[in-house]
Amino acid sequence: MDPVQKVFLKDRQAKRLKAETWWDRHGLNSDGTEELKVLLGKAKIFVHSKPSILLKELIKISTNNGSQDIVFDFFAGSGTTAHAVMELNAEDGGNRQCISIQMPEVLDETSEAYKAGYRTIADITRARIDKVIAKLKTEHPDKTANLACAHFTLAPSNFKVW
């Protein structure tokens, strides 16, 4: 494994300290946070969300858009992976499906997300997916007629945490 130099955003904006990498061209976590803020129209709902452009690139190189690929996201968080799959399908006519799983982790009552009306991380995931579907149906009505999302809730569990 090659050594890696950590570069903070403040240093990165001031001057280039290292050569650009593939990862640098596909957004920063701050870009993902801003993207979610614009999409949901609220303050920082989810800090350090990945940018959908990064996930789109990873999905593009790891799937065949003509086949029935299924992208599985076990820790969905803010729903970036589902967002990326839906946008990529609209762009290239793909048939990828996405399964996003997010446990209903309760948000801290002092968080911006809680103040905005969300009670669990899963609520944020659902809200983002619903907003992306609405946005894509407006932008690409011919390509997204059948675009939909089914939401399922975890049944009672033996896990004491939930």
Side-chain angles (χ1 to χ4, degrees):
M1 178 179 232
D2 294 333
V4 176
Q5 177 183 0
K6 185 172 186 170
V7 179
F8 292 95
L9 182 60
K10 64 179 179 52
D11 297 329
R12 192 176 164 172
Q13 290 173 336
K15 61 181 178 175
R16 274 275 176 217
L17 297 176
K18 63 180 176 89
E20 185 178 87
T21 68
W22 183 88
W23 297 101
D24 293 328
R25 293 190 304 270
H26 295 93
L28 302 167
N29 282 0
S30 58
D31 299 331
T33 301
E34 184 62 26
E35 176 181 50
L36 186 59
K37 179 181 171 185
V38 169
L39 188 63
L40 296 180
K42 300 192 166 109
K44 289 185 178 180
I45 298 298
F46 204 93
V47 182
H48 306 301
S49 178
K50 294 173 287 305
S52 64
I53 189 170
L54 171 64
L55 276 288
K56 280 194 323 194
E57 282 301 312
L58 293 172
I59 293 164
K60 192 185 303 182
I61 63 175
S62 60
T63 63
N64 273 329
N65 68 344
S67 67
Q68 283 290 341
D69 287 325
I70 299 175
V71 178
F72 190 80
D73 185 4
F74 192 72
F75 298 100
S78 69
T80 307
T81 302
H83 181 167
V85 168
M86 291 185 287
E87 278 192 349
L88 190 55
N89 282 342
E91 289 172 12
D92 68 10
N95 294 315
R96 299 169 198 88
Q97 295 181 21
C98 184
I99 298 173
S100 300
I101 296 176
Q102 179 57 56
M103 298 294 281
E105 296 176 51
V106 178
L107 295 167
D108 184 334
E109 292 181 18
T110 62
S111 70
E112 292 298 318
Y114 193 92
K115 292 173 186 173
Y118 301 103
R119 296 300 174 249
T120 66
I121 293 176
D123 292 340
I124 297 170
T125 311
R126 284 189 193 121
R128 182 181 195 156
I129 291 170
D130 291 342
K131 290 280 188 177
V132 170
I133 288 173
K135 179 179 176 242
L136 291 174
K137 284 189 175 213
T138 301
E139 294 173 355
H140 307 281
D142 53 323
K143 297 178 182 179
T144 57
N146 296 325
L147 185 59
C149 179
H151 299 282
F152 298 97
T153 304
L154 182 67
S157 171
N158 290 329
F159 291 111
K160 294 181 194 257
V161 176
W162 308 114

